Amino acid sequence: MSTNGPTFKSDDKLLASNHPQRNALSYKVTSVLSASFADAEIRDALRTLDDNGVQNSLETRRNLRLDVQKEVIECNTGIVKEFGHVAEQLKRIGSSIASLNACLEAMRRSVLEAHLENGPVLEEASALLSQKHDHETKRELLEAFNKHFIVSEDDLNILESTAEPTDDKFFIVLRRVKRIHADCQLLLGTENQRLGLELMEQSSRNLNNAFQKLFKWIQREFKTLNLENPQISSSIRRSLRVLAERPTLFERCLDFFAEAREHVLSDAFYSALTGSSRGHEQDSMTKPIEFQAHDPLRYVGDMLAWIHSAAVSEREALEVLFISDGDEIAKGIQAGIESEPWSRVEGEVFDGQKALGELVNRNLSGIGRSLRQRVEQVVQSHEDSVLTYKIANLIKFYRLTFIKLLGPESSIVETLSNLEDSTFRHFQAIMKGHAISIHAELSHPPLDLSIPDFLDETLTQLTALMKSYDASLTPATSKATDFQPVLRNALDPFLAGCDSIAKHLEEPATSIFSLNCILATKATLLPHDFTTSKLSQINETMDVHTSQLIEYQHAFLLHTSGLHPLIAALAPLSTSPSDTLKIPSLDPFQPQALTATSQILDDFLPSALLDAMDNLKQLSSVKMAEDITGDAADRFCEDFEFVEGRLEAVDELVEAAGQEGGEEEGRVSLRTAFPRTSGEIRVLLS
C-alpha cells in the first residue's frame, strides 16, 4: 500500500471541517504518526494489506474495517463448520470406543473362564517341566560321573591284558585309574558310602592287575636288557618309576634284575678269564686273563681291575636306569609305602644312592665268589713272602677303592677284606716258617761280625715290602699302625735270631755284632715315615749296646793306662781329711808304685786312641766307633781329674801338717811322682 503527502492534506481538511469528530480524529492521526514502522505488528499488518492487494483509495480506507471484520466473520464461520464436522467424527469415534469396550469386556470374561478351565493343566505342565529339568540335571551328573569314575572295556583291556603293549596308552589309562582311586575317598565322605566302596574296590583290582602286568613286562625286558647300550629304553625307566609305587613288586623286580645281572656278570668274568663263555663259546676278541698273565701278581691285579671296571660300568648304567630322573623313584616308593603301611620300617627313609650301591653289590656277588676261589688258589700255591705281601697289598688297594665306590658294607668289600686277611695270614705263616728254619740253623756270626746272611735277605725282603706298602692307599693317620704286623712278622723274629747269636759272644763282640745288625736294620727302615715307632725301639736298643761299648772302652783305657788300681784304691775313701791322709799309705800310691804307674801312662798316651779304635774296627759305622771312643775318653779324663784332685789334696794336707809339726823337708810329693795333668791328658786324647 502506498501513501503520499497531498492525499493526507486533503483528508486533514475534511477532518477539520468536521468539528465534532476533530479531537478523536486528531488522536488517531497522532497515534498513527507516532507509530513506529519498526514494530513487528505494524509490519505484519502492512504485509497482510499488500498480500490482499488492497488499493490505497478513499473507499478502501473507509471500508477497511468493515472488510476486515467481514473477512474475520467469514473465517469464523468456516471454522465453525469445520468444527461441526469434527464433532460428528468424535461422535462416531465415541460409539466405536463404546463398542470396543463392550467387546473387551466380553473377551475378559472369556479369558477368565478359560483361565479357570486351564489352571490345572498349566500346573501339571509346570510340574512336568520341573521334573524334566531335574532329570536333565541328573543325566548330566550321571554322564559326568561315568566319564570320570567308569573305565571303558577298551581301556580296561589296555590296562590289564598282557596281549596289549605297555605303551603310552597303558600309562594314560593307569594314571586315570589311580586318579579314580584317589577320588573315591571323596565319595566315602558322602551319606551313601556304598558307591565309593564299590568303586574303590574295583579300581584297586584294576590297579593291582595293571601293576602285575607292568611287573611281568619289566621282567621280560630285563632278560634282554643290555646295560652296555648307552641308549637304555626310556620306557623301562618310566615303568620302574611307576612300579616303585608298589614297593613289594619293585623289590621283587630288583631281586629278579640282580639275579639276572649276577648271572650275566659272572659269565662275563668267566669269559674274561678263559676266553670262552660257560656255554663253551669262544670269543676271539677277548684276550684271556689266565693266558696273558703269567705272573701271579699280574693275574690277581688283572682280575681285580676287570671287576673294578665292571663295577664302575654297572654303577653308571644303573644310575642311568634308576637315578637319572632325579628322585622320582624315591617319591614313588614313598607313595607306595603310604599305600602299603605294612611294608613300612620305622625310621627308614629311601636313599637312592644307597639302594643303587646295594643293587650293584648284589650284581657283583657271583663275581666275588669266583674271585675268592681263584685268589686263594694263587696265594696257597706260592711260598714267596714278598709276592704274597704284594698280593695282600694289592687286594687292600682295591678294597679301599671299592669302599669309595660301593661303601664299606658291600659284599665285594667283605670278600676283599677276607681275602686280604687270608693272604696276610699266609704271609705270616711263610715268615714264621722261615724264622723257625733260621732259628733251627743258627750258627756263629761271621768272623768280621757283619750281619748274617739271613738278616741281609730279610732286610732285602723288608725293603720290597715297604716299597709295596708305601705305594698303597693306606691313610697317613693309620699307616704306621697298619704296618706294625708286617714288622712283627718280617723283622722281629730275625732280629731275635741275631740276639740269640749275640748271646754266645763276649764283649765287645756282642755289642758290635748287635749294633751292626741294628744299624743295617735302621738304614733299611729310615727312608719310610711309617716305621717311626720301630725306629724308636731300635734306637733304645742301640743306646743300650752303645753304653755297653762305652763301658768297655772306658775299662780298656783305665786298665791299659794303669789308672785302674788308683781308681779302685780311691773308690772306698771319702773326701774327708782323715780319709785323704790315708791315701799315701795305700800300696798304689807308694812313690815307687806311683812312678811306675806314671811311666805306664806315658807309654799308653801316644797310641791310646788308636788302640781303643782297634777294639771297634769291626763296627760298621766308623763315626759311631769314634763317638763311642770319644765318650770313653771323656770319662777317662774325668777319672784322671778325680785322681789328680785327690793327689793334690793329699799334698796340700801333708804340707800343712809338716809346717805345723816341723817335719823334715825333702819328702817327695805325690804330684812329683805322678806329674801328668788333666789338661795334657785331654790334649793327647782329643
Side-chain angles (χ1 to χ4, degrees):
M1 182 180 64
S2 63
T3 58
N4 51 52
T7 304
F8 284 108
K9 288 182 179 181
S10 59
D11 290 338
D12 290 337
K13 289 180 178 183
L14 292 176
L15 291 173
S17 61
N18 192 357
H19 182 72
Q21 298 179 349
R22 182 177 181 179
N23 292 332
L25 181 60
S26 299
Y27 175 75
K28 293 181 180 179
V29 171
T30 302
S31 62
V32 170
L33 292 176
S34 62
S36 175
F37 290 98
D39 190 1
E41 294 181 356
I42 296 298
R43 289 199 304 272
D44 292 339
L46 294 177
R47 189 178 296 110
T48 302
L49 292 176
D50 289 338
D51 293 337
N52 291 331
V54 178
Q55 298 294 325
N56 189 9
S57 62
L58 179 61
E59 185 177 0
T60 301
R61 288 194 298 271
R62 291 177 178 174
N63 297 325
L64 178 61
R65 179 182 296 275
L66 295 175
D67 293 337
V68 171
Q69 291 178 351
K70 179 182 178 181
E71 185 176 355
V72 170
I73 291 171
E74 291 176 352
C75 291
N76 290 336
T77 301
I79 291 171
V80 170
K81 289 180 179 180
E82 293 296 331
F83 271 105
H85 295 303
V86 170
E88 292 178 359
Q89 294 293 332
L90 290 175
K91 289 180 181 179
R92 287 196 292 272
I93 291 171
S95 60
S96 299
I97 291 173
S99 61
L100 288 173
N101 288 333
C103 182
L104 180 62
E105 184 64 24
M107 291 176 65
R108 183 180 292 109
R109 287 194 299 271
S110 299
V111 168
L112 290 175
E113 293 175 358
H115 181 69
L116 293 175
E117 294 177 358
N118 297 328
V121 177
L122 292 175
E123 291 179 358
E124 184 179 358
S126 177
L128 291 175
L129 289 174
S130 177
Q131 292 178 2
K132 178 184 178 182
H133 178 71
D134 293 340
H135 288 313
E136 288 180 350
T137 303
K138 291 179 180 179
R139 180 178 58 80
E140 292 176 355
L141 289 174
L142 181 60
E143 290 177 354
F145 181 85
N146 290 336
K147 183 178 180 181
H148 185 77
F149 286 97
I150 304 301
V151 183
S152 65
E153 291 296 331
D154 294 338
D155 289 345
L156 288 177
N157 189 42
I158 293 173
L159 188 66
E160 300 178 357
S161 176
T162 56
E164 295 293 332
T166 307
D167 53 8
D168 292 339
K169 293 181 181 179
F170 171 83
F171 291 104
I172 292 173
V173 177
L174 179 62
R175 191 181 305 112
R176 183 188 171 197
V177 174
K178 288 193 293 185
R179 187 169 63 250
I180 291 173
H181 186 270
D183 292 342
C184 285
Q185 297 179 1
L186 299 176
L187 297 178
L188 295 178
T190 60
E191 296 180 357
N192 186 6
Q193 299 181 355
R194 179 179 178 182
L195 179 60
L197 291 174
E198 291 179 353
L199 287 174
M200 180 170 286
E201 182 181 358
Q202 180 64 36
S203 61
S204 297
R205 286 197 301 269
N206 295 335
L207 286 176
N208 290 335
N209 294 335
F211 279 112
Q212 286 292 337
K213 174 185 176 180
L214 186 62
F215 169 69
K216 294 177 181 178
W217 180 83
I218 292 176
Q219 282 187 322
R220 290 194 301 270
E221 290 296 318
F222 275 162
K223 291 180 180 179
T224 59
L225 180 63
N226 182 15
L227 290 182
E228 285 73 20
N229 182 10
Q231 301 296 332
I232 297 178
S233 175
S234 60
S235 60
I236 297 181
R237 297 201 302 270
R238 180 171 62 175
S239 300
L240 287 172
R241 293 198 305 270
V242 175
L243 190 64
E245 298 177 13
R246 289 293 186 270
T248 304
L249 293 178
F250 185 75
E251 188 65 27
R252 288 174 55 192
C253 185
L254 291 184
D255 292 340
F256 178 83
F257 176 75
E259 182 179 354
R261 289 303 300 170
E262 179 184 354
H263 177 74
V264 170
L265 290 176
S266 297
D267 191 66
F269 183 57
Y270 181 81
S271 178
L273 290 174
T274 63
S276 62
S277 63
R278 296 185 186 275
H280 304 289
E281 297 178 359
Q282 297 293 328
D283 186 0
S284 59
M285 300 300 294
T286 303
K287 295 181 179 180
I289 295 176
E290 293 182 348
F291 299 156
Q292 294 291 325
H294 303 288
D295 177 24
L297 183 62
R298 181 182 173 185
Y299 176 62
V300 175
D302 287 350
M303 287 193 295
L304 292 173
W306 189 94
I307 295 174
H308 179 260
S309 176
V312 172
S313 301
E314 190 78 3
R315 184 178 180 87
E316 291 176 351
L318 294 183
E319 282 181 349
V320 174
L321 193 60
F322 293 99
I323 308 297
S324 60
D325 296 320
D327 57 350
E328 293 298 325
I329 290 182
K331 292 179 180 177
I333 290 179
Q334 187 62 34
I337 291 176
E338 294 176 358
S339 64
E340 297 180 0
W342 57 86
S343 64
R344 180 183 306 169
V345 178
E346 188 66 26
E348 181 180 5
V349 179
F350 178 77
D351 186 348
Q353 293 295 334
K354 180 180 179 181
L356 178 64
E358 292 176 353
L359 184 59
V360 175
N361 173 43
R362 292 164 63 184
N363 297 349
L364 297 175
S365 58
I367 296 179
R369 291 190 293 270
S370 300
L371 175 69
R372 182 168 186 172
Q373 295 173 358
R374 284 171 167 78
V375 172
E376 287 180 347
Q377 182 180 3
V378 169
V379 171
Q380 296 298 329
S381 61
H382 290 82
E383 296 297 327
D384 186 349
S385 60
V386 176
L387 175 62
T388 303
Y389 182 74
K390 287 183 177 180
I391 292 176
N393 229 10
L394 181 64
I395 295 173
K396 181 179 181 180
F397 170 81
Y398 276 98
R399 177 177 63 83
L400 297 176
T401 303
F402 275 106
I403 287 176
K404 296 178 182 178
L405 180 64
L406 302 178
E409 303 299 329
S410 64
S411 62
I412 192 68
V413 171
E414 182 180 358
T415 299
L416 292 176
S417 179
N418 293 333
L419 283 175
E420 182 184 353
D421 293 340
S422 63
T423 305
F424 191 76
R425 285 195 299 270
H426 185 66
F427 165 76
Q428 289 176 319
I430 294 174
M431 299 306 300
K432 183 177 181 181
H434 186 45
I436 292 174
S437 64
I438 292 298
H439 282 278
E441 299 175 359
L442 286 178
S443 59
H444 297 288
L447 295 178
D448 59 354
L449 298 181
S450 61
I451 63 174
D453 293 337
F454 71 85
L455 182 60
D456 188 26
E457 180 183 353
T458 298
L459 295 179
T460 302
Q461 290 182 350
L462 184 60
T463 301
L465 296 178
M466 290 189 294
K467 287 182 179 179
S468 176
Y469 183 76
D470 205 14
S472 65
L473 291 179
T474 306
T477 54
S478 62
K479 209 165 189 178
T481 304
D482 293 348
F483 196 68
Q484 291 302 314
V486 179
L487 294 175
R488 284 195 297 268
N489 290 275
L491 180 62
D492 291 351
F494 304 96
L495 291 179
C498 295
D499 292 339
S500 298
I501 295 175
K503 290 178 181 178
H504 300 287
L505 301 176
E506 297 180 355
E507 288 293 347
T510 298
S511 296
I512 291 175
F513 177 72
S514 298
L515 283 175
N516 286 337
C517 296
I518 290 174
L519 289 172
T521 304
K522 183 176 180 180
T524 303
L525 299 178
L526 197 58
H528 304 281
D529 296 336
F530 50 83
T531 59
T532 305
S533 177
K534 189 63 178 178
L535 285 173
S536 299
Q537 299 176 9
I538 289 177
N539 287 332
E540 292 176 0
T541 306
M542 187 170 63
D543 291 340
V544 172
H545 291 293
T546 302
S547 299
Q548 292 175 355
L549 285 180
I550 292 174
E551 289 291 340
Y552 178 82
Q553 291 289 74
H554 178 234
F556 171 77
L557 294 176
L558 289 177
H559 286 84
T560 308
S561 64
L563 198 63
H564 181 266
L566 302 181
I567 296 296
L570 292 175
L573 301 178
S574 66
T575 58
S576 63
S578 59
D579 285 348
T580 302
L581 291 175
K582 295 178 182 178
I583 292 175
S585 62
L586 299 176
D587 292 339
F589 290 93
Q590 296 301 314
Q592 184 178 357
L594 193 60
T595 302
T597 301
S598 178
Q599 184 61 42
I600 294 173
L601 178 63
D602 290 340
D603 295 338
F604 159 77
L605 287 176
S607 62
L609 290 180
L610 294 177
D611 294 339
M613 284 293 295
D614 190 61
N615 295 332
L616 304 181
K617 62 182 179 180
Q618 292 175 322
L619 189 62
S620 59
S621 175
V622 177
K623 184 178 184 303
M624 178 176 285
E626 293 176 350
D627 293 339
I628 291 173
T629 304
D631 291 341
D634 290 339
R635 293 182 60 182
F636 176 80
C637 293
E638 293 174 358
D639 292 339
F640 187 86
E641 289 177 354
F642 170 72
V643 173
E644 180 186 19
R646 299 307 301 271
L647 293 178
E648 291 177 351
V650 170
D651 289 343
E652 290 177 359
L653 289 175
V654 170
E655 183 180 357
Q659 290 177 358
E660 293 177 0
E663 294 183 1
E664 298 179 357
E665 296 183 2
R667 176 185 174 278
V668 179
S669 67
L670 297 182
R671 287 299 294 160
T672 302
F674 196 80
R676 286 288 183 180
T677 64
S678 58
E680 295 173 346
I681 297 298
R682 288 189 178 277
V683 171
L684 292 173
L685 294 181
S686 61

